[in-house]
């Protein structure tokens, strides 16, 4: 069968789709994580905390589909990236999954007993289930920018020479805190649309702080990337239509290389601009009590910040800090030409269905969660 799209085009499409899935996860499950991180602080009474929990209760399970889709896309479209990241970052992944498991357990068991200590314990478990993934995801992105300590031998066997504690450096903790601030802002934006009364007032206060922190941490991170000597460049001639073999494409470390794409393609500056504009819009929405603007601003911030990382690194997906020649790029780490095309056909068919159903579900379940509903509806958590 003749494939109508060349290999290079399919690789770029799947690089874009990976970004879309990551952004989709941040936009949907991100506000779940942010809401959970705000739970013990924005809710002071049992009814207030149940209001927060039930604001995400109808959709959080569906939102996690984006996380699964992202992992599946990496596995199918970028097998080398999947092998290195899921093996090298195994303990970090285990930490994230352990925290995520607390969410369904916390949702289901929290209200099984009326005991205040029982419920408070599960509230803090939900807080951990929101904060830890947000932090670790950001730390992981920081490590991708710095480069992961792995190498590939002549038989393409992966050797990872890092440790769990080694993932936490000053820069990666900075990116982790930026991730937390960004998702807490997004959670505040969602709760601004879904709650009322004292909870809404506290959410606006915490959202304001998260927006300011997002701006400051994003700016500091940008300065760190520009002036710390961080970055990688492709070394030699790369064939974007060539076979997937990390040893066929070389790479070298180069200070400031993560800024190269912006000089070559100025339109890419739109991404970091959105990363700053989003929190500013959210701040304006909070101060003007325009809840839709708060959520729109937090969503724009997610899109801008995540896109900034992807566009800065292209064509790199996962560089190696100890052997730059083993770095994985969009040109040397993908699945075969036929596999990418077959998967694209499936995506074109099924992704619109997922999006349409998700939009319908949100429309049906939209509206504020009130204290009266908490008291009267037996189906609420």
């Amino acid at each position: 069968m003749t494939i109508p799209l060349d290999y290079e085009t399919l690789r770029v499409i799947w690089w874009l789709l990976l970004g879309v899935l990551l952004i989709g996860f941040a936009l949907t499950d991100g506000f779940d994580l942010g809401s959970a991180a705000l739970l013990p602080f924005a809710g002071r009474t049992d009814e207030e905390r149940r209001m927060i929990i039930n604001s995400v209760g109808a959709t959080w399970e569906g939102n996690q589909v984006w996380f699964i889709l992202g992992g599946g896309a990496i596995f199918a479209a970028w097998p080398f990236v999947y092998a290195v990241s899921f093996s090298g970052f195994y303990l970090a992944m285990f930490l994230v999954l352990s925290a995520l498991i607390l969410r369904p357990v916390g949702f289901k068991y929290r209200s099984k007993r009326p005991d205040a200590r029982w419920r408070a314990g599960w509230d803090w478990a939900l807080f951990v289930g929101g904060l830890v993934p947000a932090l670790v995801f950001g730390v992981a992105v920081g490590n991708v920018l710095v480069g992961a300590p792995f190498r590939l031998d002549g038989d393409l066997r992966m050797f990872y020479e890092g440790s769990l504690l080694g993932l936490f450096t000053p820069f990666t903790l900075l990116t982790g805190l930026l991730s937390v601030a960004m998702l807490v802002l997004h959670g505040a934006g969602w709760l601004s649309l879904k709650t009322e009364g004292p909870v809404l007032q506290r959410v606006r206060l915490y959202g304001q702080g998260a927006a300011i922190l997002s701006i400051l941490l994003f700016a500091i991170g940008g300065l760190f990337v520009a002036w710390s000597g961080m970055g990688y460049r492709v070394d030699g001639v790369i064939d974007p239509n060539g076979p997937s073999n990390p040893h066929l494409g070389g790479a070298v470390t180069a200070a400031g290389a993560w800024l190269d794409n912006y000089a070559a393609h100025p339109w890419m500056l739109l991404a970091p601009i959105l990363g700053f504009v989003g929190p500013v819009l959210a701040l304006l929405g909070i101060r003007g009590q325009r809840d839709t603007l708060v959520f729109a601003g937090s969503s724009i911030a997610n899109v801008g910040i995540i896109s900034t990382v992807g566009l800065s690194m292209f064509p790199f997906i996962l560089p190696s800090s100890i052997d730059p020649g083993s770095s994985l790029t969009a040109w040397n780490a993908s699945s075969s030409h036929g596999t990418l095309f077959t998967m694209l056909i499936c995506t074109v068919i099924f992704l619109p269905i997922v999006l349409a159903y998700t939009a319908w579900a949100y429309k049906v379940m939209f509206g504020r969660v009130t204290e009266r509903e908490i008291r009267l509806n037996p189906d609420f958590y």
Side-chain angles (χ1 to χ4, degrees):
M1 180 184 70
T2 300
I3 298 176
L5 296 173
D6 61 49
Y7 207 179
E8 177 183 3
T9 300
L10 283 170
R11 283 167 162 166
V12 172
I13 289 174
W14 274 101
W15 175 82
L16 289 171
L17 284 173
L18 178 59
V20 168
L21 292 174
L22 293 176
I23 290 173
F25 172 67
L27 291 180
T28 55
D29 208 37
F31 66 70
D32 293 345
L33 299 177
S35 298
L38 286 169
L39 177 62
F41 311 104
R44 302 289 173 82
T45 67
D46 182 63
E47 286 187 349
E48 289 177 351
R49 293 183 176 182
R50 289 184 66 206
M51 185 188 301
I52 294 172
I53 291 171
N54 284 281
S55 72
V56 300
T59 57
W60 71 270
E61 289 178 290
N63 292 340
Q64 290 195 135
V65 169
W66 291 96
F67 182 58
I68 299 169
L69 286 175
I74 295 174
F75 172 77
W78 309 100
F80 287 106
V81 178
Y82 180 89
V84 173
S85 59
F86 279 69
S87 297
F89 299 154
Y90 178 80
L91 291 177
M93 295 284 185
F94 183 80
L95 181 62
V96 168
L97 291 176
S98 298
L100 289 176
I101 287 171
L102 291 175
R103 288 200 300 168
V105 178
F107 285 141
K108 299 298 183 182
Y109 280 87
R110 181 194 181 277
S111 296
K112 294 296 185 182
R113 293 174 57 185
D115 182 69
R117 292 180 61 185
W118 169 271
R119 294 189 172 189
W122 285 115
D123 288 340
W124 284 105
L126 289 170
F127 165 76
V128 171
L131 179 69
V132 170
L135 177 66
V136 176
F137 286 143
V139 168
V141 171
N143 278 277
V144 169
L145 285 165
V146 173
F150 73 94
R151 59 183 176 85
L152 300 173
D153 68 7
D155 295 321
L156 296 181
R157 291 177 299 180
M158 192 276 291
F159 296 89
Y160 184 80
E161 300 182 9
S163 64
L164 177 62
L165 293 179
L167 298 176
F168 296 88
T169 66
F171 174 71
T172 60
L173 285 173
L174 172 68
T175 57
L177 292 175
L178 172 58
S179 174
V180 171
M182 178 180 76
L183 295 183
V184 166
L185 173 61
H186 200 39
W190 176 254
L191 293 176
S192 295
L193 296 172
K194 297 290 288 184
T195 59
E196 62 176 13
V199 173
L200 178 57
Q201 299 306 315
R202 296 188 200 107
V203 161
R204 287 172 175 164
L205 178 63
Y206 288 118
Q208 183 171 304
I212 294 171
L213 279 176
S214 295
I215 294 170
L216 292 176
L217 292 172
F218 190 41
I220 295 171
L223 293 173
F224 199 105
V225 169
W227 301 105
S228 67
M230 181 189 313
Y232 295 82
R233 286 195 182 105
V234 172
D235 183 33
V237 179
I238 302 296
D239 181 8
N241 287 294
S244 286
N245 184 337
H247 288 314
L248 295 180
V252 294
T253 57
W258 290 150
L259 303 180
D260 289 353
N261 284 341
Y262 299 108
H265 309 284
W267 64 267
M268 290 185 178
L269 289 170
L270 180 62
I273 290 172
L274 291 177
F276 286 111
V277 168
V280 171
L281 290 177
L283 272 176
L284 294 175
I286 291 170
R287 293 180 179 179
Q289 298 186 5
R290 299 170 62 186
D291 300 323
T292 302
L293 183 59
V294 180
F295 187 70
S298 67
S299 299
I300 291 171
N302 277 270
V303 173
I305 292 172
I306 296 172
S307 297
T308 297
V309 176
L311 292 173
S312 298
M313 293 183 59
F314 185 82
F316 288 93
I317 299 178
L318 185 60
S320 170
S321 60
I322 60 174
D323 180 20
S326 295
S327 296
L328 306 178
T329 71
W331 313 134
N332 67 15
S334 74
S335 292
S336 68
H337 193 180
T339 299
L340 294 184
F341 181 71
T342 302
M343 289 171 53
L344 180 61
I345 296 300
C346 295
T347 302
V348 169
I349 295 172
F350 292 107
L351 186 58
I353 297 174
V354 173
L355 292 174
Y357 175 77
T358 301
W360 175 81
Y362 273 93
K363 180 181 178 180
V364 170
M365 300 175 186
F366 196 73
R368 294 186 185 273
V369 179
T370 66
E371 288 194 37
R372 182 175 182 274
E373 288 179 313
I374 292 294
R375 289 192 295 267
L376 298 179
N377 194 327
D379 296 323
F380 278 4
Y381 289 121

